[in-house]
Amino acid sequence: MVGRIEDYALIGDLETAALVGRDGAIDWLCMPRFDSPACFAALLGTEENGQWRIAPAGRGACNRRSYRGTSLVLESVWEDVSGAVRLTDFMPPRSGSPHIVRIVEGISGRVAMRGELRVRFHHGSIVPWTRLIGDRTVAAVAGPDAAVLFGDRRVDVSVTKKCTYLDFSVSAGERIAFVLNWSPSHRAERSLTDSASALSRTLTFWNGWTAQCGYRGPYQDAVVRSLVILKALTYEPTGGIVAAVTASLPECIGGERNWDYRFCWLRDSTFTLSCLLRSGFHNEAMAWKDWLVRAVAGEPAELQTLYGVAGQRRLPEEQALWLPGYEGSAPVRFGNGAVDQFQLDVYGEVLNSVYSVLRAGVVIDEPVWNLIASLMEHLDKRRHEPDEGIWEVRGPRRHFVHSKVMSWVAADRAVRMARVAGLRSSAQRWRTLRNELRAEVCREGWDDDQQSFVQCYGGHCLDATALLIPRLGFLPADDGRVLGTVRAMRKLDHQGFLKRYSDVQSGVHDVDGMRGGEGAFLACTLWYADALAMTGRQAEARTVYERVLDVRNDVGMLSEEWDPVRRRHLGNTPQALSHVALVNTTFTLFGTRQSSRRVRAA
């Protein structure tokens, strides 16, 4: 049976990742990379759509689990009167084909174990030809894909058309390992020969990486775990960072807001770069910058909101009718139609990212300067147009305030960079544009009745993105309009968490024309904590921040949203933006020992 979203833990090899449930089942895995078709898709259907479970026979959820130290090596422990057993799951950093290693160790007594492997290629729709080779190797092949399981001679293996069964027992001190690898079906690859050395190598990698973390302060464990998750969402060959490892997990159980997040969004770059740079991970930040420049290269008119992990642009959205969806939440979608939307804010995201790496000491070369100039020229031509906005609405285009603020960010960062480069004529032109945009937003995006910035020009709907205005530098934190906006955001409160927006007239979420509600957005809640802190309300900010910490699952993961009524995670998981926001808010609250200028409480 598929678990709740918060029941899953993450393992990965920096090119793809798997979700492991508390019951020992791997219910989600795409091979060979994040945006490849899933070979375990039970998460969006049933076990018959692909799953690999190892657990004590007849038992359910483990008694406890945790990551080993600061690594991404997961340990799950089952205990009862017959004995105790530990299951260690991990994916070694890639050196050839992807591998999942699962090690079963007896702790006490003697425990009967049961494994069930159901490989299903192409998002759970294709049952492969499966056969037993010798007495411990199982091969599953269909079309371009092959998965091979390497077991142990002490395991009783039986293969049927739809499932491979693994039966064995472990006593105290006994250790049995399984290795599953994927390769193209025309090129069989050898498995790891030594699971123990693979475990040692994986632990060494993660411990060495986390040792670079520069944060030393309260909630350090939460920060390090979020950074590990962000690293796990990184596609190492290119430096791209996916928004989440999953697709089509619902924002409302039974609703239709089910999107594929296994791609790289430009808007996440600003938050991600800030997070990595502040935490001391310059190599990852530079790799992300290089990915960004390669991905957006070309005509400014062709700038997209999101790209594939390798920078690919065509990501057609399709519905998988053979999958019933997570807890019946249909349709299940792969690919993302937002790739064809016009989202004005991405120009600001790109320019803010380039500015961030410039401040970090990276030299900007001539091609990047040419890119800046061409993007600004195109932005000036299109800034008066409505767009789909940060929330990627599927309804009509609007003049979203956040999109216009990010246009101001683009002009502001371009002015700052032009000063460094000595481009006086460009700086003057962009300074004029910056002033015009600020005046326009303050005139058209402000609602006198609510004393707040709103979602769209001429509208009355509040939007949590307005909380970013002081962080982006659009207005100072002690400006009356910022203080009024922060006060107004109480209307978005959902039992202590923030919704991303609401229609103040009808009280329903209908700006995107989609049926079904949604939970509170965790990143928006953390933006609220940031804004509270920046406006001098430190105690309230810390309360909101700790409220988000409390809804992480038992291994420190956050999804996109939280349902405070049913107390459940919602949306794709683990969500990069949620973890980036957690790290950035930690820095806002605790990351510097120098006291900044405080302003009066709103």
Side-chain angles (χ1 to χ4, degrees), residues 311-323:
Q312 68 269 34
R313 301 189 175 205
R314 301 309 305 157
L315 308 170
E317 183 173 296
E318 300 176 341
Q319 294 186 11
L321 301 179
W322 61 89
L323 289 170

Side-chain angles (χ1 to χ4, degrees), residues 5 19 43-44 246-251 257-259 326 571-573:
I5 295 171
L19 292 184
L43 186 64
L44 300 177
T246 57
S248 278
L249 288 182
E251 297 177 19
R257 288 187 180 88
N258 314 316
W259 315 113
Y326 180 85
N572 287 302
T573 196

Side-chain angles (χ1 to χ4, degrees), residues 520-598:
F521 266 60
L522 294 172
C524 293
T525 305
L526 290 163
W527 295 346
Y528 185 49
D530 279 342
L532 288 171
M534 293 181 73
T535 55
R537 297 158 63 175
Q538 294 285 341
E540 293 176 74
R542 183 162 179 164
T543 297
V544 173
Y545 167 80
E546 291 174 344
R547 193 175 293 140
V548 174
L549 287 183
D550 288 343
V551 303
R552 294 176 302 152
N553 74 355
D554 59 315
V555 291
M557 276 174 46
L558 290 171
S559 63
E560 183 178 31
E561 301 177 25
W562 170 253
D563 181 345
V565 177
R566 296 176 179 83
R567 300 194 61 77
R568 293 190 58 178
H569 284 200
L570 293 171
N572 287 302
T573 196
Q575 181 77 9
L577 195 56
S578 297
H579 285 282
V580 167
L582 188 152
V583 175
N584 284 339
T585 302
T586 309
F587 272 99
T588 299
L589 292 172
F590 314 110
T592 177
R593 297 305 176 190
Q594 297 178 353
S595 59
S596 57
R597 182 170 60 91
R598 296 283 295 267

Side-chain angles (χ1 to χ4, degrees), residues 157-371:
V157 181
S158 59
V159 177
T160 69
K161 182 178 180 180
K162 292 188 175 183
C163 185
T164 295
Y165 298 96
L166 311 167
D167 292 292
F168 58 102
S169 296
V170 287
S171 300
E174 192 173 9
R175 180 178 176 277
I176 294 178
F178 301 90
V179 179
L180 180 73
N181 83 316
W182 177 95
S183 66
S185 58
H186 66 277
R187 188 180 72 243
E189 294 197 23
R190 296 178 61 185
S191 170
L192 296 165
T193 56
D194 187 347
S195 59
S197 64
L199 175 59
S200 176
R201 180 166 60 91
T202 304
L203 289 169
T204 298
F205 169 81
W206 284 109
N207 291 334
W209 186 82
T210 56
Q212 303 172 61
C213 180
Y215 177 73
R216 300 290 185 271
Y219 303 105
Q220 184 175 348
D221 289 347
V223 169
V224 171
R225 181 51 52 191
S226 288
L227 290 168
V228 167
I229 289 170
L230 289 173
K231 178 65 172 176
L233 297 179
T234 302
Y235 185 65
E236 187 74 7
T238 66
I241 300 176
V242 296
V245 304
T246 57
S248 278
L249 288 182
E251 297 177 19
C252 172
I253 302 299
E256 61 179 340
R257 288 187 180 88
N258 314 316
W259 315 113
D260 191 346
Y261 276 17
R262 300 171 300 141
F263 309 114
C264 307
W265 268 256
L266 291 186
R267 70 171 48 90
D268 293 355
S269 65
T270 298
F271 303 104
T272 305
L273 274 171
S274 172
C275 172
L276 291 172
L277 288 170
R278 293 170 89 178
S279 304
F281 295 99
H282 286 247
N283 289 340
E284 284 71 20
M286 296 310 102
W288 172 254
K289 183 270 297 182
D290 292 340
W291 174 89
L292 178 68
V293 172
R294 290 193 304 270
V296 306
E299 291 297 321
E302 298 172 352
L303 188 68
Q304 297 183 178
T305 304
L306 65 148
Y307 296 83
V309 295
Q312 68 269 34
R313 301 189 175 205
R314 301 309 305 157
L315 308 170
E317 183 173 296
E318 300 176 341
Q319 294 186 11
L321 301 179
W322 61 89
L323 289 170
Y326 180 85
E327 294 191 14
S329 302
V332 170
R333 296 181 177 92
F334 295 113
N336 200 304
V339 73
D340 295 319
Q341 289 185 348
F342 171 50
Q343 297 179 25
L344 191 62
D345 65 299
V346 297
Y347 295 91
E349 315 294 356
V350 172
L351 271 293
N352 205 16
S353 297
V354 176
Y355 178 64
S356 295
V357 298
L358 178 64
R359 290 185 64 193
V362 177
V363 176
I364 303 285
D365 55 19
E366 185 176 354
V368 177
W369 284 117
N370 292 336
L371 174 64

